[in-house]
Amino acid sequence: MTNFNLQDYLSSRREVVDRALERYIKEQKGHSHAIWQAMRYGLFPGGKRIRPILTLAAGELFGGKHNKLLPFACAIEMIHAYSLIHDDLPALDDDDLRRGVPTAHKVFGEGLALLAGDGLLTEAFFLMSGPQVTRSLPPQLVVELIHYVSHAVGVSGLVGGQALDLEAENDEVDLAKVEYIHMRKTGALILASVQIGAQVGGGNATDLRRIARYGEFLGLAFQIGDDILDAQGETDGKDRAESGHRELKKATYPSVVGVIRAKERLKELVQQAVKQLSPFEADAEPLIAIAKYVGARALHEGKNSKVQEMQI
Ligand code: GRG
């Protein structure tokens, strides 16, 4: 046992990510224009920053340096922010609040919010393919990483998962279908967050397989946890009464098998995720603690919980 403190780890890495995102925005021409303001609104103050922190943690496990990891970590957070802005639009979830404040379209109007999402998505790819990256990593690896992220956020991942989610509204769905949707809609970007970090960090093929399995279990656990919090009216910054009308009809674990079985599945997934990392021993403490935290949020404490880990 070491003295690893998850709270300190999350807040220090969060600061690193926030500073890098700020720096990136300030460097862009026209960053004070309305479109950048709307994009910035989607990024700041930000939520948990769990995806970029996962990229840093997976990279650090293999000795990866922050200067190489940060463009990817920031790009992944920009993609996440885009997905939330678009997801909140009237055409999708129709949410008025996100993280307890008005959604981007409520502040900037639907047109600019739509474009802010497009802008964040596109700028993410601009960042990953920029000189800071191409000077510090082999070109072949950069192309592979960008290809991988595109796959995770395109039709095979986030966008396709969201489309399936739309189609499944009001349908009778079984658990296999719910998991299939979750693994694309939410799991693919979480998996990409750790995989990209591990690849930039220099993990070997065996390491990458272990990290991929960890990411798959964690991605599914994350969405089930979110659905449990939502079913209990505890989703961060947005209680059930504030949820868009669509949210209430979605195919989720709790809606198919109830909250108790959803919690059992969540616990099992976190245990599986943690198990994948046992060969790395204490070096994997941050990734292990993050997985346990994802479980603990939904299993024990809910939105007002301090950062704490699940006992497993
Ligand atoms: C392509 C038009 C178009 C829209 C895309 C893909 C998409 C819309 C939306 C993404 C689907 C989505 C919002 C899934 C839910 C995933 C989830 C649990 C989000 C919340 O993530 P957290 O808890 O948020 O990490 P914070 O606030 O901490 O950043």
Side-chain angles (χ1 to χ4, degrees), residues 60-310:
E60 290 164 8
L61 175 58
F62 303 106
K65 296 280 173 279
H66 281 184
N67 65 326
K68 293 188 186 179
L69 294 162
L70 276 169
F72 291 94
C74 289
I76 285 169
E77 186 65 7
M78 287 160 81
I79 293 169
H80 170 60
Y82 127 77
S83 78
L84 298 184
I85 292 176
H86 279 195
D87 200 48
D88 290 337
L89 285 169
L92 289 172
D93 271 2
D94 194 12
D95 278 316
D96 293 348
L97 291 173
R98 157 96 31 211
R99 301 170 183 146
V101 296
T103 44
H105 65 273
K106 287 282 157 194
V107 177
F108 296 92
E110 279 179 46
L112 207 57
L114 185 75
L115 292 170
D118 295 336
L120 284 163
L121 176 63
T122 315
E123 291 292 328
F125 284 87
F126 187 63
L127 174 56
M128 287 185 286
S129 56
Q132 189 193 338
V133 175
T134 52
R135 274 198 297 262
S136 66
L137 293 171
Q140 176 66 25
L141 177 62
V142 176
V143 173
E144 278 171 27
L145 295 170
I146 294 174
H147 190 64
Y148 184 87
V149 176
S150 316
H151 189 73
V153 304
V155 178
S156 304
L158 189 111
V159 170
Q162 183 71 7
L164 288 171
D165 207 22
L166 266 185
E167 271 171 43
E169 270 176 24
N170 297 322
D171 276 2
E172 284 284 316
V173 286
D174 58 17
L175 277 190
K177 180 84 186 258
V178 172
E179 290 204 358
Y180 185 84
I181 295 173
H182 284 3
M183 281 162 80
R184 277 149 190 79
K185 181 177 88 165
T186 309
L189 191 56
I190 290 183
L191 169 59
S193 305
V194 288
Q195 272 296 88
I196 296 290
Q199 278 191 265
V200 173
N204 65 31
T206 312
D207 297 329
L208 294 179
R209 273 195 298 278
R210 289 198 174 108
I211 294 293
R213 283 197 296 272
Y214 165 86
E216 279 165 14
F217 287 122
L218 183 68
L220 188 52
F222 191 88
Q223 182 62 57
I224 294 175
D226 203 65
D227 288 340
I228 292 170
L229 289 171
D230 200 29
Q232 297 178 156
E234 291 178 310
T235 302
D236 285 354
K238 176 175 81 169
D239 68 27
R240 202 157 166 75
E242 293 167 344
S243 286
H245 63 283
R246 275 221 158 98
E247 202 62 48
L248 309 177
K249 298 184 271 176
K250 287 225 166 110
T252 68
Y253 238 85
S255 70
V256 176
V257 293
V259 168
I260 292 172
R261 277 193 58 198
K263 285 186 172 182
E264 283 164 9
R265 179 69 176 135
L266 171 59
K267 193 166 178 188
E268 187 181 284
L269 288 162
V270 171
Q271 284 166 343
Q272 286 294 336
V274 168
K275 203 168 136 195
Q276 308 309 315
L277 303 183
S278 54
F280 302 115
E281 299 179 350
D283 291 345
E285 247 171 344
L287 289 175
I288 290 172
I290 290 170
K292 291 182 183 177
Y293 160 62
V294 164
R297 276 182 78 226
L299 290 172
H300 307 306
E301 298 284 335
K303 70 174 176 182
N304 295 321
S305 66
K306 295 193 300 289
V307 171
Q308 73 155 52
E309 293 177 30
M310 178 179 133

